[in-house]
Amino acid sequence: ASQLRVTWKPWPGLPCTDDIEAALRANPATPRRLVDEGDVDGALATAPQPMQRTYLWPYQMHASIGPSCAVAHWHEDAAVPHRLTVWAGTQNPHVLRAELARLAGIEPVAVEVIRMEAAGCYGRNGADDVAADALLLSRAVGLPVRVQLTREQEHLWEPKGAAQWMTVRGGLAADGSVAAYDFATSYPSNGAPTLALLLTRTIDPQPHAFEMGDRTARPPYDYANLRVTVNDMPPILRASWLRGVSALPNAFAHESYVDELATAAGVDPVDYRLRQLQDPRARELIEATAAKAGWIAHTEPQRQPPTGDLLHGQGVAYARYMHSAWPGFGAAWSAWVADVDVNRVTGEVHVRRVVVGQDAGLMINPAGVRHQMHGNVIQTTSRALKEQVRTDAKTHVVASREWGSYPILSFRDVPVIEVVTMPRDDEPPLGAGESSSVPGTAAIANAIFDATGLRFRQPPFTAEVVRVALHGLPSPVGKGEGSERHCGEDDRRALRAPPSRPSPGGGRSSASSGRRAALLVAGALATVAALVGIRSTIAPVTRPDASMYTKETIERGRQLAGIGNCAGCHTVSGGASYAGGFALATPFGTVYGSNLTPDVDTGIGAWSFSAFQRAMREGLSRDGHRLYPAFPYTAFTRTTDDDLTALYAYLMAQPAVRNTVPETRLAFPFGVRPLMAAWNGVFLAPGTIPADPRRSAEWNRGAYLVDGLGHCGGCHTERNALGAEREGAARLAGAMVDGWEAPALTALARAPVPWTASAFYDYLRTGHSAQHGAATGPMAPVVRALGAAPDADLRAMATYLASFDAPVTDAWAIVASATIVANAGRSSALPDGTQRMFESACGACHHDGDGPRLLGVNIPLALGTKLHSDRPDNLLRVILEGVREPASREIGFMPAFAEALDDAQVIALARWMRQRFAPQRAPWSDLDAAIARIRATPTAH
C-alpha cells in the first residue's frame, strides 16, 4: 500500500495554496453579518485618519492529531437495534454519527458510535475518516473491519487548522478615539466533512454550517460604530475542527490593529486599550499584567539601544475568549506582555519573558492552571516563531508531512513565564488555562514592532522573514567560505604531513615484479591443469569431536571469529549462526556465504583441518573447486597455524545445522572457477609476513590482525576491474561497500581530527569515539562482532591503524575537537526553514553539547566523517534509513525518515548540515542523483 501512488484529477475550486490570500480571494465566500452597530460607513467617510489593514493567518500544522483508528461492524440482521456500530477515537461522536448515517443511507438512530477515550486532540481528526472507510469496507465484506493510519499517514492526512484572512477598515476620529471598526474575516467553516462523503460524491464540497468560533470575530473593545462580517468559504486544504477555531486569528487581527491605532494616535498601547474598555474586569486584568511585567509606557517604537546585535522590545495584547456560543456564559479574560530580543543580523526572534494574566473565575486547582498556562505560552510562542505549512507547488497538497517537525521551542529558547491570576473565589470556574494562548501571537508581533519599527501581519515570524524585512534584501545563503579561518582543512593537512615511515602496511610491500611474474606463470599452469580436469581433492573425514580441543583453544577461536566477523557473511538475518546463505552483492554477481557449521552434508563437518587450512590460505574448497575472493582468503592467508587451529576448533564446536545455500553463479567469464587459478597467481601472495623489527610487539600484533583475519582492507580498499584490492596509496584509502562509503583509514581520511590510538580503541570497542562519531551501516555489525575480542587485541589494532596518520596526543585531539565545533558554530548559515526542520526533527539528540542528552551518545556532528566526506552517501543513508541496529545500545537508535521527508526536504537538510557542520568543505553537487540512487538501493543495515 505504501508503494501505491494515486494521482487525483483536477478538482475545480481548489486553487494553489502557496498564496493564501490569492486562494482566499479566488474562493467564493458566503457572507454572514454578525454585528452591525452604529453608523460604520458614515464614520469611515468622515474619519480624518482612515486605516485599512489585512492580516493573514496561515494553516497550522498538525492541528488535530489523534488516534486514527476505528472499527466498524455493519449488521445485516434487521433485528439488531443498530444497523451500524462504530468504535472510534472521535472528538465529535454526534456529528460523526450523522455523517455515517448519510454515507450509508440510513437513519442516524440506526448508528451507534462508541467513543474511545484515547482521543487526544480537538475537533475533526483522522479517526472520523477511518471510521467512514471502515463502514464502507464492513458493509462490503459483511464482517467487522478495522482501519488504522500509520503515524506518517496520520500526520500527512490529518486536517490542518484553518487558514484565515482578516481585513479591518477603520481609523481615528479627530480626538484620537476609534472612528469605526469594520471587521471582515474569511475562513473555512468548522464543519469539515469526512473525506468519504466527498470522495463518494455523497455531498458536494460546499460551505457548511458554522458551529462555534465565529463568536470570537467580535472585538473585545467597546466601539461605537462596529460591523463584523464572517465569510464562510470552502476549504482550500482540508480544515480541522478546533475548539475556538478562529479565536487566535481573530485576536491576532484585533490586537495588531488596535496597536497600530495606538501608534497612530500617539498614545501608549496599554493606555489606549484601557480607553476602549468599559469592562472593569478587563481593565483590572490588563493593569495587573502590565504592572507585573514592568511595562514601560511609550507612544512610538522604543527601539532600545541594542545589546550587541540584539534589539529589545515589549508588546501587549488582550482577548476575551468565549467558551460558549451564548455571551455571558463561559467567558475568560486573558492578557499578555511579551519581551523580545530581535537579532538585527540573523533576524532571529527570541521571546525572553512572558507575563500572562488570566481571569477565569474560581481557580479550583491554581497550580494546575499555572502549569497549563505555561504549556500554552510555550506552544503559542513556538507556533508564532516557527510553524509553517509547506505545500507542493505542483499538486497543491500538504508537503509538510514529517511527524517529527512539530514546532516547539528548544529548552534554551523557552521564555521566562510569569502568571497573573485574578482572585475570584465567589464566582464559578469559567474555563481556566486554555484561553491564555489567545493573545500570544499578537503580543509577540507588537513586541517585534516595538523593537524594530516593523509590523508583521502574518505569522510565523521566522528568522528569514524578519531578516528580509530588516534589510530589505533576499535572505543570504550564509557566510562565504574562506571568510574565517577554521581549525579545518589547512590545519588538518599540516597535521597530516606524511611522516618518514614505510608506506601503508608498515613495510609489507607488494610482491616484486619478478615474484609476481613467477606467480603469474604458476597460475597459468594451474589454470591449464584445472581445465584438463586435474583437481586436488582432500578426502572427507568423520566429523571431528570438538572435545579434542581445550576450552581455552575454543574460546580463542571464538575471539578470532569475532575479529574476522565470520558470522557477518555466513549468517542470514534471523537464521542460525554460521549456517550460510548471506547474499553478498559484487560487480560480477551475487555470492552466497557458505555453511560453516559442522554439518557433514551441507557444512564443513567432513572437512579436515588440512582442508580448512587450505581454504583459508589458498582459496581452494575441500573438493578442489576454486573459491571466489569475496571470501577474503587473500588476507586470511597470513593467519598462523595456531590461530587457524583455534578457529577450526571453535567452528567444529558449533551446533551442526543442515542448510543448503543457493549456488553462486557469476556472469561469464567470472563464473568459470578454474580461471581463479590465474587470478590467484597474480593477486594472491600466500604465507605469513614476518614481524617488523622496527616496530613494537603491539604494533606488529595489530598489523597481523588488521591485515590478516580482520581483513579491514576488504571494505576500506578500492578494488580493481578484476575484483582485487588495489595496492600502494590506494590501500585502506576508502571504498564503497553495499551502498555505504567505508572511509579511508590512512592520512587520506576526511575526519576533521586525526585518529589517535585511544580514539580507534574506543570506536572498535564501543562503536563510537568522542572525537569522531558513531559506527553506522555495515560497520555496526563489525563492532558488535568485535565484542568477542580481548582488549589487548583491540588496542593492538588501534595502535597499528593510528600509525597511518600523523601522531597527535589525546589532549591535543580534545582541544582540536572543541575548536572545530566552536568554529563550525560561528560560521553557521543564517537561520531558515531548513534549520528549523533540523532542530525539530534532529536537534533533540544532535547538538553541540549545549543541550540535554536525551537518547544515546551526542557527538557533535562537526566531528563526524559523514559531513566532511567527498560523498554524501553515508549521511543520506542515515537520514533515510535511520539507525535501527546500533553497534551498541549506548549509541542509541534513530528513526528512519525515508517516508517522513520527501526528496526536496532531505536534500535541503543535507545541504544545510554540510554548510553548518563542515563549513570549510565545498558543497556537495548533484544531491538529486545521489538521493535517487540511494532510495533505489536501500540496504538492510
Side-chain angles (χ1 to χ4, degrees):
S2 64
Q3 297 304 311
L4 179 64
R5 296 293 176 259
V6 177
T7 302
W8 297 99
K9 64 183 178 181
W11 194 342
L14 293 180
C16 175
T17 56
D18 293 325
D19 186 342
I20 293 177
E21 183 172 1
L24 289 168
R25 289 182 185 276
N27 277 264
T30 303
R32 177 185 177 191
R33 185 60 48 79
L34 189 66
V35 179
D36 196 348
E37 301 173 352
D39 183 8
V40 174
D41 294 326
L44 289 176
T46 59
Q49 296 188 50
M51 290 172 49
Q52 179 169 327
R53 299 289 185 266
T54 297
Y55 303 93
L56 295 175
W57 187 272
Y59 282 93
Q60 296 175 336
M61 292 178 64
H62 314 325
S64 63
I65 286 183
S68 300
C69 178
V71 177
H73 188 190
W74 179 265
H75 309 276
E76 291 294 345
D77 188 353
V80 177
H82 299 99
R83 192 71 179 271
L84 172 66
T85 303
V86 171
W87 294 261
T90 179
Q91 282 283 326
N92 303 278
H94 301 297
V95 177
L96 177 61
R97 180 181 178 216
E99 292 191 341
L100 294 178
R102 185 169 184 176
L103 182 64
I106 58 179
E107 293 297 322
V109 294
V111 178
E112 180 184 22
V113 174
I114 300 174
R115 182 176 179 273
M116 310 308 292
E117 294 299 329
C121 61
Y122 293 152
R124 176 121 285 170
N125 58 32
D128 295 359
D129 289 326
V130 295
D133 294 344
L135 156 62
L136 297 176
L137 292 171
S138 179
R139 186 173 62 176
V141 302
L143 293 169
V145 174
R146 181 185 75 172
V147 178
Q148 181 170 353
L149 301 183
T150 65
R151 192 64 168 160
E152 288 78 13
Q153 289 168 340
E154 188 173 69
H155 283 262
L156 173 61
W157 297 340
E158 279 286 353
K160 308 300 176 185
Q164 198 155 331
W165 178 33
M166 297 143 289
T167 300
V168 187
R169 295 171 60 240
L172 298 176
D175 60 357
S177 63
V178 181
Y181 196 88
D182 189 1
F183 181 75
T185 180
S186 300
Y187 65 96
S189 65
N190 293 334
T194 59
L195 293 178
L197 286 170
L198 293 173
L199 297 178
T200 60
R201 297 199 173 224
T202 304
I203 63 172
D204 293 324
Q206 295 300 320
H208 298 279
F210 279 87
E211 298 296 328
M212 297 164 57
D214 58 344
R215 62 185 182 277
T216 64
R218 179 167 188 145
Y221 299 101
D222 303 305
Y223 297 131
N225 302 301
L226 174 65
R227 178 188 295 148
V228 176
T229 305
V230 177
N231 296 292
D232 189 17
M233 51 170 287
I236 307 166
L237 301 178
R238 185 160 177 255
S240 168
W241 248 340
L242 284 177
R243 188 177 301 173
V245 62
S246 60
L248 273 71
N250 285 335
F252 172 64
H254 295 321
E255 288 303 299
S256 295
Y257 188 80
V258 76
D259 214 69
E260 296 196 48
L261 288 174
T263 301
V267 179
D268 172 68
V270 169
D271 184 29
Y272 196 80
R273 283 169 171 80
L274 294 175
R275 294 182 186 185
Q276 318 306 321
L277 287 169
Q278 301 300 319
D279 183 351
R281 295 179 69 158
R283 296 175 59 85
E284 184 180 357
L285 176 66
I286 292 176
E287 290 171 341
T289 304
K292 177 73 173 179
W295 177 262
I296 301 173
H298 58 277
T299 59
E300 58 183 16
Q302 297 183 78
R303 294 191 182 93
Q304 294 182 10
T307 304
D309 291 331
L310 299 181
L311 304 170
H312 310 291
Q314 196 173 49
V316 63
Y318 157 74
R320 187 182 184 197
Y321 179 59
M322 306 293 295
H323 292 278
S324 170
W326 295 276
F329 180 81
W333 295 257
S334 185
W336 271 48
V337 172
D339 288 89
V340 304
D341 297 328
V342 180
N343 189 308
R344 56 182 177 177
V345 176
T346 67
E348 292 173 286
V349 177
H350 172 55
V351 180
R352 179 161 38 95
R353 178 191 183 213
V354 171
V355 177
V356 54
Q358 186 174 61
D359 181 352
L362 173 65
M363 296 290 180
I364 298 176
N365 178 10
V369 170
R370 285 195 296 273
H371 292 159
Q372 184 180 2
M373 293 171 69
H374 275 243
N376 285 342
V377 169
I378 293 172
Q379 184 185 62
T380 301
T381 305
S382 301
R383 286 183 156 176
L385 300 182
K386 298 173 178 286
E387 183 174 68
Q388 285 182 310
V389 173
R390 189 171 62 91
T391 56
D392 186 278
K394 295 181 179 179
T395 63
H396 311 313
V397 299
V398 176
S400 302
R401 59 178 180 166
E402 64 276 11
W403 64 265
S405 70
Y406 186 86
I408 196 72
L409 296 174
S410 64
F411 290 105
R412 67 179 73 86
D413 292 330
V414 172
V416 174
I417 303 171
E418 300 177 51
V419 173
V420 175
T421 55
M422 309 307 292
R424 306 292 184 194
D425 296 340
D426 57 341
E427 295 190 7
L430 299 175
E434 183 177 311
S435 62
S436 60
S437 63
V438 176
T441 306
I444 294 171
N446 294 336
I448 295 173
F449 170 74
D450 187 44
T452 65
L454 299 171
R455 286 282 182 195
F456 293 93
R457 300 184 178 96
Q458 176 181 346
F461 317 122
T462 60
E464 58 270 30
V465 169
V466 176
R467 185 167 62 244
V468 168
L470 284 169
H471 303 290
L473 297 171
S475 176
V477 174
K479 295 181 180 178
E481 294 185 15
S483 61
E484 179 180 355
R485 188 174 185 273
H486 312 285
C487 179
E489 197 68 18
D490 294 338
D491 305 86
R492 192 175 60 133
R493 290 197 186 99
L495 287 168
R496 291 184 169 177
S500 117
R501 61 168 182 268
S503 61
R508 286 162 167 71
S509 60
S510 60
S512 66
S513 58
R515 172 175 169 79
R516 181 57 52 81
L519 290 172
L520 181 58
V521 172
L525 293 175
T527 302
V528 173
L531 290 174
V532 299
I534 300 175
R535 300 168 59 85
S536 176
T537 301
I538 296 178
V541 298
T542 303
R543 175 184 170 182
D545 187 349
S547 64
M548 63 186 294
Y549 299 101
T550 65
K551 292 182 179 180
E552 291 75 15
T553 298
I554 294 174
E555 171 59 19
R556 181 59 185 151
R558 184 185 73 86
Q559 296 171 353
L560 293 168
I563 291 174
N565 189 25
C566 301
C569 289
H570 294 272
T571 306
V572 297
S573 178
S577 295
Y578 303 106
F582 180 85
L584 179 65
T586 76
F588 317 106
T590 300
V591 177
Y592 294 92
S594 58
N595 185 344
L596 295 186
T597 71
D599 179 67
V600 174
D601 296 322
T602 63
I604 61 172
W607 287 42
S608 64
F609 174 70
S610 296
F612 178 76
Q613 185 184 51
R614 185 178 71 168
M616 293 288 286
R617 288 182 172 168
E618 300 177 35
L620 276 171
S621 182
R622 185 195 64 76
D623 63 4
H625 77 262
R626 299 280 175 177
L627 302 177
Y628 294 118
F631 173 67
Y633 58 87
T634 53
F636 295 162
T637 188
R638 300 169 179 175
T639 311
T640 64
D641 288 344
D642 287 345
D643 281 350
L644 286 180
T645 298
L647 186 59
Y648 177 77
Y650 170 69
L651 292 175
M652 289 302 170
Q654 301 308 299
V657 178
R658 184 175 183 81
N659 181 40
T660 302
V661 303
E663 183 179 355
T664 295
R665 295 183 182 275
L666 303 185
F668 181 83
F670 306 105
V672 181
R673 287 185 184 268
L675 293 177
M676 288 304 303
W679 191 95
N680 288 342
V682 177
F683 300 113
L684 173 63
T688 58
I689 297 177
D692 186 343
R694 296 170 299 174
R695 299 288 188 173
S696 67
E698 184 178 57
W699 185 95
N700 277 288
R701 176 64 178 171
Y704 167 75
L705 294 174
V706 168
D707 296 338
L709 203 57
H711 64 287
C712 299
C715 288
H716 292 270
T717 300
E718 284 188 345
R719 296 178 182 265
N720 61 25
L722 295 177
E725 295 177 25
R726 296 185 182 276
E727 297 180 346
R731 187 169 175 277
L732 297 179
M736 292 300 297
V737 179
D738 197 16
W740 292 80
E741 180 186 16
L745 301 179
T746 65
L748 297 175
R750 288 299 186 185
V753 178
W755 285 81
T756 65
S758 296
F760 267 123
Y761 170 78
D762 290 342
Y763 189 84
L764 296 175
R765 173 55 74 204
T766 67
H768 62 89
S769 161
Q771 285 82 48
H772 297 280
T776 54
M779 190 61 196
V782 173
V783 172
R784 290 196 293 270
L786 289 174
D791 275 355
D793 280 350
L794 291 187
R795 292 193 184 279
M797 295 172 70
T799 296
Y800 175 64
L801 291 171
S803 70
F804 289 110
D805 215 333
V808 297
T809 65
D810 291 330
W812 184 95
I814 292 173
V815 173
S817 299
T819 302
I820 288 170
V821 172
N823 284 341
R826 283 194 293 270
S827 62
S828 61
L830 291 172
D832 58 11
T834 306
Q835 175 186 316
R836 290 190 296 279
M837 179 169 61
F838 173 86
E839 289 176 348
S840 59
C842 316
C845 294
H846 295 287
H847 47 77
D848 289 343
D850 55 351
R853 173 177 166 177
L854 300 180
L855 176 66
V857 296
N858 173 50
I859 297 166
L861 293 175
L863 301 177
T865 304
K866 295 181 185 67
L867 272 302
H868 292 265
S869 173
D870 293 334
R871 302 179 61 108
D873 296 60
N874 285 7
L875 177 67
L876 294 175
R877 284 202 178 273
V878 169
I879 293 173
L880 293 172
E881 300 175 8
V883 179
R884 308 174 199 179
E885 299 182 49
S888 62
R889 293 191 64 85
E890 65 178 325
I891 291 176
F893 299 83
M894 175 178 159
F897 289 91
E899 297 298 327
L901 299 177
D902 60 26
D903 288 356
Q905 290 172 306
V906 175
I907 290 171
L909 191 60
R911 185 177 290 119
W912 181 87
M913 292 175 69
R914 172 79 156 187
Q915 184 179 16
R916 165 64 176 84
F917 297 108
Q920 74 277 17
R921 303 286 293 144
W924 282 311
S925 61
D926 208 5
L927 284 170
D928 298 70
I931 195 171
R933 179 179 68 249
I934 290 170
R935 282 194 184 271
T937 57
T939 68
H941 299 289

